[in-house]
Amino acid sequence: MRILVTGGAGYIGSHTVVELLSVGHDVIVIDNFSNSKSSSFEAISKISGKDVIFYEGDVADISFLRNVFSKHSIDAVIHFAGYKAVGESVEKPLKYYDNNLISTIRLLEVMEEYQCYRLVFSSSATVYGSPKSLPILEDFSLSTTNPYGTTKLMIETILTDVSASNSKWSFAMLRYFNPIGAHESGMIGEDPNGIPNNLMPYIMKVSTGELPDLKIFGNDYDTPDGTGVRDYIHVVDLAKGHLKAIDYVMEHVGVEAFNLGTGHGVSVLDLVHTFERVNHISIPYTIVERRSGDIASCYADCTKAHEKLHWTSSKTLEEMCEDSYRYVINQKKK
Ligand code: NAD
Ligand code: UFG
């Protein structure tokens, strides 16, 4: 199949492109490199032994999109492109509503023009807000606590309305839990500029000495060791979930949401200690105040993805920590 991947130079997108190429799909990538570099494609080519067709441009640019669709007969789209920093979205909400919503609307318009009706969308566990119980099921009530999360929820609503308007559409909305890890080659991964907001990128910068110590946001939560519990999923497992979702949208119509996680809750201290153990390295930390907006625990029930997508995660927390460390060490050598 010929798959268009928006945001395919980014963290999850680049891993997904590798998996798509490995099973023989033709892949076309669009990215404006607002949060990535074109060097992703060199790494993808080295890993897969295949070249990626890519177009540098903005998904919100309708004439650019039409040009890409007119050149390639696209069977399905995976839509990763968007901004994702929660804190920045609170400071600059219009930037988030503009990029995330407009790019999605333009993409849907052009897909309809070219009669391409299959889309896999990057949603997030953030749409569950503060869940009433755990593990989280797809039919839990939805709410958000920041503009980034609201863009995800609004896009889910848009996809639901568009699906109701024309029965040709097929949408899989993948609600990711906490992706970490990197490709086992160490050639692609996540390496944000500046001070990271998320836990694993922060641990990675402490592991290389770029930052002196990890600040753990609270140890007085109602969790086994008092630190926040999340469902960390290896990015390669997540990438493979997209291949299953592509198969699903090719065979079904309508709109479905799927949780992609491991189903296991891991605390901040569990993650830190696992990282230290498998990589034989010390991660100094201090306990500081809770971060505003954080919830105590969040983990998925992934039964629906297992039953309908025939997908399940397979990589361990140890592998997530080893692969993250391998990637950051490789980056340092460059
Ligand atoms: P990322 O920032 O690494 O990748 C996104 C890519 O999209 C980047 O390469 C960026 O340059 C590109 N992009 C952004 N806006 C664009 C536009 N208008 N036109 C063209 N390209 C554009 O992020 P990621 O971690 O790979 O996340 C991918 C998707 O998954 C995002 O939609 C994100 O919101 C969602 N998601 C991520 C996480 C996470 O923790 N990483 C969790 C839940 C959901
Ligand atoms: N944490 C620290 N110190 C840090 C960073 C994080 O103690 O420096 C803690 C947090 O308090 C939380 C846990 O580590 O308990 C995980 O925090 P992250 O920031 O890595 O992840 P979140 O679960 O808060 O949020 C992330 C994304 C959201 C997304 C959500 C679910 O930032 O956009 O995962 O996918 F919605």
Side-chain angles (χ1 to χ4, degrees):
M1 269 186 289
R2 190 162 294 120
I3 316 284
L4 175 68
V5 180
T6 75
Y11 174 47
I12 306 170
S14 58
H15 289 83
T16 303
V17 170
V18 166
E19 296 305 319
L20 289 166
L21 291 170
S22 77
V23 298
H25 291 300
D26 292 330
V27 180
I28 294 132
V29 173
I30 290 178
D31 205 299
N32 64 2
F33 305 121
S34 54
N35 197 36
S36 55
K37 296 191 186 95
S38 60
S39 56
S40 290
F41 298 125
E42 289 154 32
I44 291 170
S45 294
K46 270 191 200 153
I47 295 168
S48 64
K50 294 178 182 168
D51 284 334
V52 183
I53 303 169
F54 81 89
Y55 292 87
E56 179 173 356
D58 197 309
V59 184
D61 177 346
I62 198 155
S63 51
F64 165 72
L65 271 187
R66 283 188 179 125
N67 183 40
V68 175
F69 274 83
S70 65
K71 285 194 172 133
H72 305 276
S73 170
I74 290 162
D75 297 302
V77 179
I78 307 180
H79 182 35
F80 292 106
Y83 296 147
K84 62 167 183 175
V86 171
E88 188 189 45
S89 80
V90 176
E91 285 156 26
K92 298 177 183 167
L94 293 178
K95 175 176 173 179
Y96 277 69
Y97 289 116
D98 182 49
N99 190 43
N100 294 4
L101 299 182
I102 303 300
S103 62
T104 306
I105 292 168
R106 291 289 101 82
L107 176 64
L108 292 168
E109 285 168 349
V110 175
M111 287 177 69
E112 195 160 42
E113 275 174 42
Y114 286 84
Q115 296 180 22
C116 172
Y117 291 106
R118 322 269 156 184
L119 179 97
V120 175
F121 170 63
S122 296
S123 189
S124 167
T126 195
V127 299
Y128 294 113
S130 206
K132 62 181 187 321
S133 62
L134 294 166
I136 298 171
L137 284 154
E138 286 84 353
D139 62 2
F140 276 22
S141 63
L142 304 178
S143 66
T144 59
T145 54
N146 56 72
Y148 162 71
T150 308
T151 68
K152 293 293 175 193
L153 191 49
M154 288 170 119
I155 293 168
E156 288 203 1
T157 307
I158 291 168
L159 298 181
T160 306
D161 290 345
V162 169
S163 157
S165 74
N166 181 341
S167 60
K168 287 183 183 160
W169 283 106
S170 180
F171 298 120
M173 308 187 297
L174 305 183
R175 295 177 181 157
Y176 312 150
F177 280 67
N178 290 56
I180 61 170
H183 191 266
E184 62 178 9
S185 65
M187 288 197 266
I188 49 173
E190 187 178 33
D191 187 18
N193 291 329
I195 298 183
N197 298 305
N198 297 118
L199 180 59
M200 181 56 100
Y202 204 109
I203 292 175
M204 288 158 73
K205 289 214 187 271
V206 175
S207 75
T208 58
E210 283 169 84
L211 291 169
D213 64 350
L214 171 69
K215 311 277 187 286
I216 296 185
F217 299 138
N219 66 350
D220 57 353
Y221 283 107
D222 183 16
T223 61
D225 64 23
T227 63
V229 165
R230 297 290 183 274
D231 185 341
Y232 297 97
I233 172 154
H234 197 296
V235 66
V236 171
D237 276 338
L238 193 64
K240 289 179 176 165
H242 292 74
L243 274 64
K244 298 290 190 182
I246 285 288
D247 293 343
Y248 185 87
V249 295
M250 295 311 292
E251 287 162 16
H252 299 81
V253 290
V255 59
E256 288 287 348
F258 298 98
N259 288 341
L260 296 188
T262 63
H264 302 295
V266 169
S267 76
V268 176
L269 284 173
D270 287 336
L271 186 65
V272 169
H273 292 144
T274 306
F275 193 96
E276 292 183 314
R277 178 167 53 78
V278 300
N279 295 317
H280 313 290
I281 181 168
S282 163
I283 301 294
Y285 64 82
T286 49
I287 307 290
V288 299
E289 289 292 291
R290 290 181 178 195
R291 181 171 66 179
S292 148
D294 272 356
I295 54 175
S297 299
C298 173
Y299 52 92
D301 183 317
C302 299
T303 310
K304 184 174 173 187
H306 183 53
E307 289 179 351
K308 292 199 168 194
L309 299 182
H310 312 294
W311 171 88
T312 188
S313 67
S314 65
K315 290 190 179 267
T316 62
L317 191 64
E318 282 76 6
E319 288 171 291
M320 300 180 211
C321 292
E322 283 167 354
D323 292 341
S324 290
Y325 189 57
R326 185 181 308 109
Y327 174 71
V328 78
I329 293 300
N330 266 3
Q331 291 302 102
K332 281 277 163 206
K333 286 184 199 153
K334 283 186 180 166

